[in-house]
């Protein structure tokens, strides 16, 4: 649980797909309100970027999940979190494919519904992700605390051989 680089990758990467996918839904809403075709095209490209970025972030999520000890609640919550987010990405991917078939990037009724359900799943999955970190302590350094030293500082631990015991 002390591998900082591994636990840092997933939380840093997930902000991009979350932001992109929410933006995609906003762009589609603007398309419906204004009728502007450019909003529809931007929404389609933003959805694609979100799905690609999310799949990349998810790979690191699975790597982190495998290092959670089996039989713990964190392992079960992590699995649920991973499956919900995988389903969320699949919904956005199908939503994008439906628009591709349109030929004009125009969102269809089904593609909008899939994206909205995906958004609900993203909120639920994000909630569980926060629970993993903030309540279950996954990826939290053993030395964490309000006055913990900077991770960049070399905090030498006394060697058992030199401690004189
Ligand atoms: C794009 C899809 C995903 C999103 C948006 C997402 C989102 C999140 C969020 C918001 C957190 C909390 C980070 C923090 O508060 O610092 C988190 C943590 C976590 N997620 Fe995901 N997640 C995704 C996919 C996955 C997948 C597929 C797995 C596989 C099981 C996974 C496993 C984990 C684990 C183990 C943690 C806690 C430790 C860590 O930060 O790595 N995630 N995730």
């Amino acid at each position: 649980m002390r591998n900082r680089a591994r636990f840092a990758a997933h939380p840093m990467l997930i902000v991009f797909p979350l932001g992109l996918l929410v933006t995609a839904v906003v762009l589609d809403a603007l398309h419906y309100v204004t009728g502007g075709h450019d909003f529809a095209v931007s929404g389609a490209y933003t959805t694609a970027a979100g799905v690609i970025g999310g799949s990349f972030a998810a790979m690191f999520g699975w790597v982190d999940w495998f290092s959670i000890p089996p039989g713990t609640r964190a392992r079960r919550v992590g699995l649920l979190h991973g499956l919900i987010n995988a389903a969320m990405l699949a919904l956005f991917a199908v939503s994008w494919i439906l628009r591709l078939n349109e030929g004009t990037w125009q969102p269809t009724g089904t593609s909008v519904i899939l994206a909205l359900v995906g958004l609900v799943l993203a909120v639920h999955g994000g909630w569980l992700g926060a629970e993993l970190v903030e309540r279950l302590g996954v990826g939290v350094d053993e030395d964490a605390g309000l006055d913990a030293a900077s991770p960049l500082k070399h905090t030498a631990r006394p060697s058992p051989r030199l401690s004189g015991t």
Side-chain angles (χ1 to χ4, degrees):
M1 290 275 191
R2 291 182 59 83
N3 186 337
R4 289 199 183 95
R6 194 173 59 201
F7 276 113
H10 183 66
M12 282 197 296
L13 291 173
I14 45 103
V15 293
F16 295 102
L18 279 180
L20 286 164
L21 293 172
V22 171
T23 304
V25 173
V26 172
L27 286 167
D28 283 347
L30 287 172
H31 164 71
Y32 274 112
V33 172
T34 67
H37 179 62
D38 289 350
F39 285 125
V41 177
S42 312
Y45 276 89
T46 311
T47 302
V51 170
I52 293 168
S55 308
F56 187 62
M59 287 188 316
F60 288 90
W62 286 116
V63 171
D64 289 352
W65 181 76
F66 276 110
S67 63
I68 301 175
T72 58
R73 192 166 97 80
R75 182 96 164 181
R76 292 192 296 278
V77 172
L79 181 63
L80 186 62
H81 163 83
L83 293 178
I84 285 176
N85 278 317
M88 176 272 285
L89 289 176
L91 288 179
F92 273 103
V94 174
S95 156
W96 183 82
I97 290 167
L98 289 176
R99 305 171 70 149
L100 179 71
N101 291 342
E102 281 293 291
T104 57
W105 295 121
Q106 197 82 7
T108 67
T110 315
S111 78
V112 169
I113 290 171
L114 292 180
L116 289 175
V117 176
L119 214 54
V120 172
L121 289 186
V123 171
H124 188 42
W127 175 283
L128 292 175
E131 176 161 2
L132 280 172
V133 176
E134 290 173 30
R135 180 146 177 84
L136 296 164
V138 178
V140 176
D141 198 283
E142 285 165 24
D143 302 329
L146 294 180
D147 274 323
S150 159
L152 301 176
K153 275 197 184 149
H154 176 68
T155 48
R157 290 163 182 274
S159 156
R161 278 195 300 137
L162 300 175
S163 62
T165 52

